[in-house]
Amino acid sequence: GVELARTALARGATVTLVAANLQVAPPAGATVVEVVSAEDMRRAMLEAVTDVDAVVMAAAVADFRPAEPGEHKIKRAAVGAEVALPLVQNPDILAELVAARAGSSAPVLVGFAAETGSPGSDVLALARAKLARKGCDLLVVNDVSEGRVFGEPDNEVVILGRGQAQFAVPRADKATIADAVWDAVVPLLR
Ligand code: CTP
């Protein structure tokens, strides 16, 4: 996310970075909105996307949250040896952005997909289905099996577009990967 912001700034874009759990410094020149929960991120995104040309959702948003966040520490003696925490689904921010676009072609919407593959479905097949399900314009596919990608300086991705469009970006630092994402976005800008 941070490299996407940095490389967009370098290309002359005006950038808002909505971020949670930042582990590296955001680039100077971006408007940074720091959030904690998925609900905060949803609110910040819906506010930030009015009048933008492109949105890239690189955040690994938690799919679920505790149904009843506690005010106080859960004491071990009070719960016993096992505890089950009911979880409820978080809003799907990207899906909401697609819905809010309501059939218009702007802004360009880019999703990320973290996949590990599963028996019978390889990473790209899962990602192709995810692109169709989400309805965004591009999907940047990361194979995160065996602990890859998160917190690492390098990455390799496949960028999926509508139809059968597919572009593999070989292993490189994240700035190079981010530039490849913007290269894929540019032809879609109107
Ligand atoms: N995303 C989102 N809001 C969520 C979950 C995901 O906006 N609550 C966005 C991510 O930022 C990413 C895309 O949706 O751009 C795909 O996220 P991913 O976690 O790979 O997919 P899921 O929709 O959670 O699907 P699944 O759990 O089935 O892999």
Side-chain angles (χ1 to χ4, degrees):
V2 167
E3 288 305 333
L4 283 158
R6 196 189 314 283
T7 48
L9 284 162
R11 289 171 179 237
T14 303
V15 176
T16 301
L17 177 64
V18 177
N21 305 312
L22 274 176
Q23 289 174 10
V24 290
T31 300
V32 180
V33 182
E34 288 207 57
V35 296
V36 175
S37 67
E39 185 53 47
D40 293 344
M41 177 170 277
R42 171 182 176 271
R43 243 188 320 253
M45 287 302 297
L46 291 175
E47 221 166 275
V49 299
T50 54
D51 205 27
V52 299
D53 299 307
V55 181
V56 182
M57 278 295 303
V61 186
D63 289 333
F64 297 91
R65 66 178 184 278
E68 291 174 26
E71 287 281 302
H72 306 288
K73 187 180 178 197
I74 299 170
K75 298 304 285 178
R76 186 176 1 166
V79 293
E82 266 183 43
V83 59
L85 292 174
L87 301 176
V88 292
Q89 260 194 33
N90 268 329
D92 187 329
I93 301 166
L94 181 58
E96 285 196 36
L97 297 179
V98 170
R101 187 170 68 167
S104 134
S105 55
V108 174
L109 295 175
V110 183
F112 267 60
E115 301 290 354
T116 60
S118 58
S121 297
D122 68 16
V123 165
L124 280 183
L126 290 170
R128 195 40 85 190
K130 185 171 288 183
L131 176 61
R133 196 168 67 239
K134 295 268 181 180
C136 50
D137 302 297
L138 297 169
L139 193 71
V140 183
V141 186
N142 288 279
D143 182 342
V144 296
S145 53
E146 291 157 26
R148 283 190 282 258
V149 183
F150 293 108
E152 289 188 4
D154 293 348
N155 194 7
E156 68 188 303
V157 301
V158 177
I159 302 174
L160 299 185
R162 294 281 175 82
Q164 290 308 305
Q166 180 169 325
F167 176 60
V169 188
R171 180 152 291 277
D173 57 53
K174 284 181 175 172
T176 305
I177 304 281
D179 252 325
V181 172
W182 292 125
D183 284 343
V185 168
V186 166
L188 305 179
L189 293 171
R190 281 141 246 261

